[in-house]
Amino acid sequence: MIRGRVHLNCKMQQTTPPKSTPSDLNFWQIWNITFGFFGTQFGWALQMGNTSAIYEYLGANPEQIPLLWLAGPITGLIIQPLIGYWSDRGTPLGRRKPFFLAGAILSSFALIMMPNSGNLWMAAGMLWILDTSFNSTVEPLRAFTGDRISGEQRTLGFTMQAFFIGLGAVLGSLCPWIFSHLGFINDVGTKTAIPLSVKLSFYFGALVYLSCVLWTALSTGKSPLDYNPPSEEEQEPAGAGDFFRNIWQMPKTMRQLAVVQFFTWVGMFCVFLYLPPAIARQVFGATDQTSPLYTQGIEWAGIFIAVYNGVCFIVSLFLARFAKLTSRKFVHGFCLLCGGIGLISLFWIRDRYFIFFSAMALGMAWASILSMPYSILADALPEEKMGSYIGIFNIFTVVPQICVALGLGWVMSAFLDSSHLLAVVLGGFFLIIAALFVPRVTDVVEDSSISSSELREEEIRQLAGDRG
């Protein structure tokens, strides 16, 4: 395994080797480090499964929904790299924890306020706050995982992260259906009535979100990396120049993965925007959001989301072993292909139970999306800039979402007959395109034909060529 990769700076100088991280953690230590993702994904699943429906309850039409979702990618584009950069440098209170704790508090507040929105634009404003605080939580948590888990345990760490993301999403997605079947009656008599089951789910989600992040913060103790960020010699000068220099000097593996991420997240954002209304209208036959069939369809979409996250939960238990038997690239490409086929198959399915086969295929893709790219990337990054580079890497998950938010409404109106279902099917084709780019990615650990020195020489040649 290649460790302690040398970072290439503008002066082509070798930096001080990064401080070491624990190489042998027990199961429960890794559990505590990654447990916060259960809470973040619980809240995120509520947002993904219900925001489009909330917008339609408040009077939005299908072409408006992508623009109303623009908050997520815009805040991700700005917040994730900045939070990653700042958390690398640390604060007197610590390196990662102050950031994800502050994000968790704000996220919990936004989850409480979101279903109480009185009009469409208030709901859109709450989504801006929710996405900003969510990004402020998740980016430092991802870097925290990379800080605390190193070496051969890194794939296990990111896989356990996917495990908690899957489990949290299952329970978060089921919440409205559970509350509805516990006897909390849904008031859908008017277009602006947000069901009581949705409101209670968001309140409970706020509690789970904050509690789980607090558990990670309090159970992981102190680490030299938390309170002793890289020295002044290891850090390059702060400022915008440093940020753009990091983008300019992205490792080769990161650039290759960026292409895969772009097409992956075009596809997934189509799912996030339109899957629940597509199921309500195409499978249940709802004609508008005031129909009881619409509410039943949205709740059933929550079960669909729970199923694909449940499959993610199960598959994540075996991804690390599967990757050892084959390769991380093979696993990721195969899972993306399955997810794309599953989404496309929805075009022909009208039975509410048969759609779960599509959900299982999507769950395989989701398990890999949440772990394999980050596992491959982490081994190609200098550890002293892990947070900065992961934040930059996440730009390639939000830029495609911005493209979808700005352009999909027009595409739906011009080519898809404003069909929610066709937008979801389109997302499946983009997942297949992403899968086709995976074999082009260089995995610096698994590709035995590339040594650390050869990779460094190649990056120097490419950087010199780019500047020439």
Side-chain angles (χ1 to χ4, degrees):
M1 177 166 290
I2 301 170
R3 298 184 185 177
R5 180 152 281 97
V6 177
H7 174 56
L8 185 63
N9 64 19
C10 286
K11 297 180 180 179
M12 303 288 184
Q13 295 175 329
Q14 180 171 322
T15 60
T16 305
K19 296 176 175 63
S20 60
T21 56
S23 58
D24 293 309
L25 300 174
N26 63 43
F27 175 84
W28 293 111
Q29 287 174 313
I30 297 176
W31 174 286
N32 291 335
I33 289 169
T34 56
F35 185 68
F37 285 96
F38 174 81
T40 61
Q41 193 66 18
F42 194 103
W44 194 66
L46 287 169
Q47 175 187 327
M48 291 297 105
N50 295 279
T51 298
S52 290
I54 288 174
Y55 285 155
E56 290 200 341
Y57 283 128
L58 296 175
N61 60 49
E63 293 79 14
Q64 288 179 306
I65 288 177
L67 285 174
L68 292 169
W69 274 84
L70 192 59
I74 289 290
T75 56
L77 181 65
I78 298 170
I79 295 298
Q80 287 185 1
L82 291 177
I83 292 294
Y85 176 77
W86 290 332
S87 71
D88 272 346
R89 302 183 71 83
T91 72
L93 298 177
R95 195 164 177 229
R96 311 290 186 198
K97 292 182 180 180
F99 294 94
F100 63 68
L101 282 173
I105 294 170
L106 288 174
S107 295
S108 299
F109 167 77
L111 283 169
I112 293 171
M113 296 300 298
M114 181 76 178
N116 290 297
S117 301
N119 55 63
L120 188 60
W121 298 110
M122 180 179 176
M126 285 298 103
L127 183 62
W128 279 88
I129 297 174
L130 181 58
D131 271 303
T132 299
S133 52
F134 180 82
N135 285 313
S136 299
T137 307
V138 172
E139 162 52 32
L141 272 176
R142 284 196 182 117
F144 187 70
T145 302
D147 287 344
R148 292 297 190 96
I149 305 173
S150 64
E152 295 181 355
Q153 292 185 308
R154 189 162 272 158
T155 296
L156 174 61
F158 282 107
T159 301
M160 187 172 288
Q161 172 181 308
F163 168 85
F164 280 123
I165 287 173
L167 180 60
V170 168
L171 299 180
S173 301
L174 287 174
C175 249
W177 182 85
I178 291 173
F179 277 114
S180 178
H181 285 75
L182 286 176
F184 296 97
I185 299 175
N186 293 316
D187 180 12
V188 292
T190 65
K191 288 187 175 182
T192 59
I194 296 174
L196 178 61
S197 60
V198 173
K199 292 184 178 181
L200 294 177
S201 297
F202 273 69
Y203 302 157
F204 185 64
L207 176 63
V208 173
Y209 194 116
L210 184 59
S211 299
C212 292
V213 174
L214 280 173
W215 178 276
T216 287
L218 298 176
S219 66
T220 49
K222 297 181 180 180
S223 165
L225 276 173
D226 292 337
Y227 292 88
N228 295 289
S231 65
E232 292 298 323
E233 290 77 16
E234 290 174 297
Q235 290 182 352
E236 297 176 28
D242 185 31
F243 172 73
F244 289 110
R245 184 161 53 248
N246 287 337
I247 296 178
W248 183 265
Q249 297 172 2
M250 286 190 299
K252 177 183 177 182
T253 297
M254 185 171 172
R255 294 195 298 271
Q256 294 166 333
L257 281 169
V259 178
V260 177
Q261 290 291 88
F262 180 88
F263 289 108
T264 297
W265 283 93
V266 169
M268 289 306 300
F269 203 52
C270 290
V271 175
F272 297 156
L273 289 175
Y274 288 115
L275 178 66
I279 291 175
R281 295 177 185 274
Q282 305 300 326
V283 177
F284 280 75
T287 55
D288 61 66
Q289 64 271 20
T290 63
S291 168
L293 290 175
Y294 185 85
T295 301
Q296 294 174 24
I298 295 298
E299 290 177 354
W300 198 261
I303 299 175
F304 180 100
I305 295 171
V307 169
Y308 89 66
N309 280 290
V311 171
C312 168
F313 169 82
I314 295 170
V315 169
S316 66
L317 299 175
F318 303 98
L319 273 185
R321 183 176 299 178
F322 190 22
K324 285 184 178 181
L325 293 175
T326 56
S327 71
R328 293 186 289 196
K329 291 194 297 183
F330 177 83
V331 168
H332 193 46
F334 175 76
C335 290
L336 286 174
L337 185 63
C338 290
I341 293 172
L343 289 176
I344 294 170
S345 69
L346 287 172
F347 182 78
W348 294 279
I349 299 175
R350 291 296 182 271
D351 184 274
R352 68 175 68 182
Y353 295 102
F354 283 175
I355 65 173
F356 293 146
F357 291 105
S358 300
M360 288 186 280
L362 183 60
M364 292 178 62
W366 192 231
S368 186
I369 290 168
L370 296 175
S371 58
M372 286 299 132
Y374 295 98
S375 177
I376 295 171
L377 178 67
D379 285 316
L381 297 180
E383 294 190 22
E384 73 274 11
K385 290 198 169 186
M386 182 78 69
S388 295
Y389 273 123
I390 290 181
I392 292 170
F393 184 64
N394 284 321
I395 290 176
F396 301 103
T397 70
V398 298
V399 167
Q401 295 177 53
I402 292 173
C403 294
V404 172
L406 293 176
L408 185 57
W410 174 80
V411 171
M412 287 190 67
S413 177
F415 302 105
L416 304 181
D417 195 29
S418 297
S419 170
H420 303 77
L421 179 63
L422 291 180
V424 173
V425 170
L426 180 65
F429 282 105
F430 278 105
L431 289 188
I432 291 176
I433 295 172
L436 297 177
F437 278 95
V438 173
R440 299 175 59 87
V441 175
T442 300
D443 189 326
V444 298
V445 171
E446 293 177 347
D447 192 341
S448 59
S449 65
I450 298 179
S451 67
S452 176
S453 60
E454 289 172 339
L455 184 66
R456 177 173 168 76
E457 290 172 3
E458 183 179 354
E459 288 183 345
I460 292 173
R461 287 196 302 270
Q462 289 182 352
L463 185 59
D466 290 341
R467 291 178 176 178

